[in-house]
Amino acid sequence: MSKILVIGAGGQLGTELTKALVNKYGKEAVLATDFQEAARSKFDYCRFETLNIMDKEALASMVQTENIQIIYHLAAILSAMGEKNPVQAWDLNMAGLLNVLEIAKEYTIEKIFWPSSIAVFGPNSDKENTPQRAFKDPNTVYGISKLAGEHWCEYYFNKYGVDVRSLRYPGLIGYKSLAGGGTTDYAVDIYHKAFEQGKYECFLSENTYLPMMYMKDAIQATLQLMDAPKEKISVRTSYNISGMSFAPTEIYQSLLSYFPDFKISYAPDFRQAIADSWPKSIDDRVAKQDWNWEPAFDLEKMTADIVENLPLYFNYNAIK
Ligand SMILES: NC(=O)c1ccc[n+]([C@@H]2O[C@H](COP(=O)([O-])OP(=O)(O)OC[C@H]3O[C@@H](n4cnc5c(N)ncnc54)[C@H](O)[C@@H]3O)[C@@H](O)[C@H]2O)c1
């Protein structure tokens, strides 16, 4: 059985993806890593080691001693955090990926997963149903690093045969962990505030439409892409994938049936400009054609699932 290394496993995506990998392949097959020792507490169900992805020697040694064949490289600085620390974001997002690609080339890693983002699109990209090959002019460091990263992935595939696969995730929404410094974090936070405080101040304006995806769909898409036969992967930069599109006012409305007294106010901050530069909806026909991608969750189904499950992970009272 192939041994899997997850890098940046302690984050919003890694917390859920690592669990899904253990459920699918067994705990012996998965090694979770993060540079934060504190992440260890999340992995009582599989092995955990600290690993800083900037340390290429440490990565090489782990790949050899653990006989790693598959890598999920998730460590990154996200859009909003990236704008506060642009050079640091560039360094981590680029050097981290290049370390993984180089090690994959050197030690003949079987497959790599690396997430890109809708942040690769920019103010002059098509906003509605943004095509796979849309014009791209990202204006955040995060988006620039993801676009460059996509081309590095394609380069390593074409030049060295490294089987690296990638998805342009939209905003990811899950209930098992908090969001990690992105522009779509409001759509995670709002559920917590509905339980905790009965009111929420949103950092994006009422009608800001963005592409979003429920974490269960994101995990499903990731596993499906990684399972797809190599010859079915026609995109070696990164695939557009789509789940749903909504604005803050719509997620608020979806919560009102569970929390009738819930209140929302709007105080857009610097993240509004980032959101305004991104697509409102995504055309994911290529992913559908190549490896049969199909999302299962819309906004109503997602809210029902989160409201039911969030209290199991955080210390909130369940809705009666
Ligand atoms: N969450 C989203 O909405 C979203 C959307 C599009 C793409 N993505 C991409 O998915 C991936 C995971 O995102 P996330 O939301 O889980 O992010 P996150 O910020 O929640 O998690 C990132 C993890 O990486 C770890 N990390 C940071 N620097 C590291 C280093 N030097 N070495 C090892 N680990 C390090 C952090 O400790 C953290 O646990 C990222 O590549 C991100 O760009 C996420």
Side-chain angles (χ1 to χ4, degrees):
M1 186 196 293
S2 298
K3 183 104 180 264
I4 301 168
L5 176 67
V6 186
I7 300 165
Q12 190 201 0
L13 175 63
T15 304
E16 303 212 28
L17 185 58
T18 308
K19 186 81 174 118
L21 291 168
V22 167
N23 289 345
K24 189 167 162 133
Y25 300 106
K27 69 176 188 172
E28 300 306 327
V30 180
L31 175 58
T33 67
D34 201 286
F35 83 142
Q36 300 200 59
E37 170 60 27
R40 185 181 294 278
S41 63
K42 296 184 173 184
F43 300 99
D44 55 357
Y45 61 86
C46 72
R47 277 186 59 214
F48 175 87
E49 299 285 344
T50 51
L51 173 69
N52 185 340
I53 194 52
M54 302 301 273
D55 186 347
K56 191 175 163 203
E57 299 310 314
L59 173 64
S61 144
M62 192 172 274
V63 161
Q64 278 177 296
T65 53
E66 299 285 342
N67 194 21
I68 298 296
Q69 280 107 29
I70 298 177
I71 298 178
Y72 288 75
H73 170 41
L74 312 179
I77 292 181
L78 275 65
S79 57
M81 286 290 280
E83 291 311 285
K84 291 186 173 163
N85 307 292
V87 175
Q88 195 191 345
W90 176 259
D91 285 348
L92 173 65
N93 296 1
M94 285 292 89
L97 174 61
L98 283 169
N99 283 347
V100 171
L101 292 171
E102 274 293 296
I103 294 294
K105 180 184 83 178
E106 221 166 299
Y107 296 97
T108 21
I109 294 292
E110 209 177 286
K111 264 185 268 185
I112 297 175
F113 176 76
W114 172 78
S116 184
S117 159
I118 56 160
V120 296
F121 300 110
N124 296 297
S125 304
D126 293 328
K127 288 274 180 281
E128 305 280 355
N129 275 325
T130 308
Q132 175 68 42
R133 291 176 163 278
F135 174 78
K136 298 175 196 69
D137 58 348
N139 61 4
T140 60
V141 171
Y142 177 67
I144 297 168
S145 72
K146 288 295 185 186
L147 186 55
E150 287 189 3
H151 288 287
W152 275 117
C153 289
E154 188 179 50
Y155 181 87
Y156 271 74
F157 173 73
N158 287 335
K159 188 137 185 177
Y160 308 115
V162 173
D163 187 356
V164 47
R165 304 173 180 205
S166 177
L167 298 172
R168 288 178 187 144
Y169 289 130
L172 301 180
I173 306 164
Y175 56 79
K176 293 188 185 168
S177 61
L178 297 169
T183 301
T184 53
D185 289 7
Y186 88 84
V188 176
D189 299 342
I190 194 169
Y191 290 101
H192 290 266
K193 292 297 184 296
F195 276 96
E196 266 181 315
Q197 295 178 6
K199 61 178 182 182
Y200 180 61
E201 185 176 272
C202 185
F203 60 76
L204 296 183
S205 68
E206 191 169 357
N207 291 311
T208 306
Y209 275 85
L210 285 171
M212 299 279 190
M213 180 172 283
Y214 193 32
M215 190 62 88
K216 289 183 180 173
D217 274 340
I219 302 291
Q220 177 59 27
T222 308
L223 298 179
Q224 239 176 291
L225 173 71
M226 291 298 273
D227 277 349
K230 207 171 171 178
E231 60 278 9
K232 292 278 181 193
I233 311 293
S234 71
V235 175
R236 287 295 177 170
T237 49
S238 188
Y239 279 98
N240 274 10
I241 48 163
S242 171
M244 57 188 101
S245 277
F246 58 77
T249 183
E250 290 172 3
I251 196 169
Y252 169 67
Q253 296 295 331
S254 83
L255 274 160
L256 279 182
S257 39
Y258 303 93
F259 303 91
D261 298 327
F262 187 43
K263 298 276 184 286
I264 191 164
S265 56
Y266 300 93
D269 66 13
F270 73 100
R271 288 168 281 195
Q272 183 67 45
I274 301 177
D276 289 342
S277 76
W278 287 355
K280 295 179 194 305
S281 58
I282 296 287
D283 177 351
D284 60 357
R285 272 176 298 176
V286 184
K288 286 180 164 138
Q289 277 156 19
D290 281 5
W291 41 275
N292 303 321
W293 161 242
E294 204 55 63
F297 285 86
D298 61 14
L299 178 56
E300 296 311 317
K301 277 193 199 160
M302 175 176 79
T303 294
D305 204 54
I306 294 182
V307 168
E308 185 183 336
N309 288 300
L310 193 61
L312 304 173
Y313 288 83
F314 290 83
N315 197 17
Y316 306 134
N317 292 324
I319 302 267
K320 300 282 181 298

